[in-house]
């Protein structure tokens, strides 16, 4: 046995000597850049305050105590508003996102040179602006209230849902599309029978995931006047009412936990 | 005039590679043709050029006296309704039910609102039930396609193609994804159905023995060109070498013959 194997080399390296050297140099450069960046970024940091941070944190925490549970009576309504903003905003966004996704996907777009770039631009524009900034703009245009919040959430959701959906459309099984096309079906029928059934699970889970994110995002919209629990948070912070702030944190945490478990359950049931 | 006539059909995907090179082929009514050849010989391209899932670069495809290559989109949709197609990986819509998959064979005949609301005409539904009974799936009507086994899915694929009431079947490697026993059952079902309805068919198949056993006329394709067109019994080692290249073919043919005999005895 040993005679037959001894003809073969006993050393093997994944990378050649030169490749290993290059990798080592790249790591060195990366670490050096990181250290230098850290120094530049923190030139203005007052380390005196940072050293003080644990004490400040303990101080604020102690002021939150005892939590003012009675304040909850005033929180139920804005909390309900927050959930409604998230839900209606998501629904509106999803309805608008679906056709945009079909216009943006390279295999379903009616026109790759005009329509597709427009759809992609809408997606990029929606995604690049945070919902808090959308809300700021909309409060100025529409005035304060729930409507501004709902539309802000919808505008932000369009890009997210449309992007993930159009990527799903581009990855569908082409043979199924060919099979339905081969029966003599029209293009709307191909959409209905071959494409939509393939992307539906992906689309539904994206929409629910977005709703879950929107619950969290809508909790801060009230800080700029777009309705929901953020208004109470802003007011409590402004008056240094720490026991109320603590209760609001707890309320938001509770809502997020509940919405996460709902979204997990619905997703499981639908797919 | 033949039922289907391919004249000098050529398909070029890239500048210096011909997938099909001047393929000329006649198929008569009721005739089942087995298309054999190595992977990449252009078998799939050839049958996809007939219903223009792939556009031929040159040549004509005359089906029932009409050249399909020149048809407008609308006319092509109409022509496709009478050409049924069966696929290698079944190509069912996995999340739809067996019944929806079979009824999708009627898409070219019904208006959009009927297909969207799943309200097919009574005679279409009746025919779908009859076809599901014929392929042995009457108990699985409301199951989702992805809940079926490979053999069952291919039966749904066959029922979908037949729901079109086609005048021609294009069958692309119907057994490639199936185990040997199921493959035989599916091939037998297809050849029985073609005989019952005197339905002409082109069957792409890479298994020479299956082809010899179930198909009378064989066309051999190599590098996009027809290199053999004759009876299954004329497939000699020399012919197989011409189609597939050098190999010891004597055992393949002998074994195939024995298996065919065993099949006949069992039947």
């Amino acid at each position: 046995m040993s005679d037959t194997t001894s003809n073969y080399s006993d050393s093997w390296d994944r990378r050649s000597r030169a490749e290993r050297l290059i990798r080592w140099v790249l790591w060195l450069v990366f670490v050096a850049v990181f250290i230098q960046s850290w120094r530049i970024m923190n030139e203005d940091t007052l380390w005196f305050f940072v050293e003080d941070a644990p004490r400040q944190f303990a101080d604020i925490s102690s002021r939150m105590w005892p939590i003012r549970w009675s304040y909850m009576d005033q929180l139920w309504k804005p909390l309900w508003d927050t959930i409604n903003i998230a839900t209606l905003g998501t629904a509106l966004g999803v309805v608008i996102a679906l056709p945009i996704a079909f216009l943006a996907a390279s295999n379903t777009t009616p026109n790759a040179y005009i329509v597709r770039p427009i759809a992609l631009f809408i997606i990029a524009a929606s995604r690049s602006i945070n919902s808090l900034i959308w809300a700021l703009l909309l409060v100025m245009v529409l005035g304060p209230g729930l409507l501004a919040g709902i539309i802000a959430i919808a505008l932000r959701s369009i890009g997210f849902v449309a992007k993930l959906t159009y990527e799903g459309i581009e990855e569908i099984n082409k043979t199924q599309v060919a099979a339905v096309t081969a029966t003599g079906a029209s293009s709307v029928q191909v959409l209905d029978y071959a494409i939509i059934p393939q992307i539906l699970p992906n689309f539904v889970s994206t929409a629910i995931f977005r709703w879950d994110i929107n619950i969290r995002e809508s909790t801060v919209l009230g800080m700029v006047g777009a309705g929901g629990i953020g208004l109470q948070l802003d007011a409590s912070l402004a008056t240094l009412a720490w026991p109320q702030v603590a209760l609001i944190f707890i309320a938001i945490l509770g809502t997020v936990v509940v919405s996460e478990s709902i979204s997990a359950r619905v997703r499981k049931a639908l797919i | 005039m033949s039922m289907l006539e391919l004249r000098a059909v050529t398909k070029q995907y890239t500048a210096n590679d011909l997938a099909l090179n001047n393929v000329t082929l006649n198929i008569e009514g009721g005739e089942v043709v087995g298309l054999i050849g190595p992977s990449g010989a252009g078998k799939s391209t050839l049958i996809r050029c007939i219903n223009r899932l792939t556009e031929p670069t040159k040549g004509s495809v005359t089906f029932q006296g009409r050249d399909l290559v020149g048809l407008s989109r609308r006319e092509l949709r109409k022509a496709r309704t009478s050409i049924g197609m069966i696929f290698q990986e079944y190509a069912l819509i996995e999340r739809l039910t067996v019944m929806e998959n079979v009824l999708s064979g009627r898409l070219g005949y019904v208006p959009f609102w009927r297909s969207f609301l799943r309200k097919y005409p009574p005679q279409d539904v009746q025919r779908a039930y009859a076809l599901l009974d014929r392929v042995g799936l009457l108990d699985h009507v409301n199951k989702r396609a992805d809940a079926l086994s490979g053999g069952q899915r291919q039966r749904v694929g066959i029922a979908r193609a037949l729901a079109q009431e086609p005048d021609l079947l294009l069958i692309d490697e119907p057994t490639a994804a199936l185990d040997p026993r199921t493959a035989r059952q599916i091939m037998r079902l297809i050849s029985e159905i073609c005989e019952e309805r005197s339905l002409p068919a082109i069957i792409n198949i890479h298994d020479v023995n299956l082809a010899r056993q179930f198909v009378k006329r064989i066309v051999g394709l190599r590098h996009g060109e027809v290199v053999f067109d004759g009876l299954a019994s004329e497939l000699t080692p020399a012919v197989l070498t011409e189609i597939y290249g050098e190999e010891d073919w004597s055992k393949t043919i002998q074994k195939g013959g024995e298996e065919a005999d065993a099949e006949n005895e069992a039947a």
Side-chain angles (χ1 to χ4, degrees), chain A residues 174-190 192-194 197-198 200-201 270-271, chain B residues 48 51 53 77 80-81 83 87 91-96 104 107-108 110-112 115-116 118 120 160 164:
Chain A
K174 291 189 186 77
T175 332
Q176 294 181 22
V177 178
V180 175
T181 310
T183 65
S186 67
S187 37
V188 226
Q189 287 175 323
V190 172
D192 180 22
Y193 274 74
Q198 288 196 60
L200 205 61
L270 282 172
I271 292 163
Chain B
R48 279 167 168 258
N51 64 356
L53 284 180
R77 289 219 298 120
R80 277 173 174 165
T81 58
I83 304 175
F87 293 81
L92 301 181
I93 311 305
E94 301 284 323
R95 288 177 54 82
L96 298 187
S104 71
L107 285 175
V110 301
F112 174 70
S115 63
F116 183 73
R118 312 299 199 248
Y120 284 83
R160 171 175 64 189
Q164 288 178 237

Side-chain angles (χ1 to χ4, degrees), chain A residues 142-203:
Chain A
L142 296 168
L146 296 187
L147 185 64
I150 292 168
I151 295 176
I153 290 289
L155 287 175
R156 179 75 178 84
S157 304
I158 290 170
F160 180 90
V161 176
K163 184 177 168 68
L164 291 178
T165 306
Y166 97 71
E167 284 172 351
I169 296 172
E170 288 179 348
E171 280 165 26
I172 57 170
N173 178 325
K174 291 189 186 77
T175 332
Q176 294 181 22
V177 178
V180 175
T181 310
T183 65
S186 67
S187 37
V188 226
Q189 287 175 323
V190 172
L191 205 67
D192 180 22
Y193 274 74
I195 299 174
I196 290 182
Q198 288 196 60
I199 60 150
L200 205 61
N202 177 331
F203 177 69

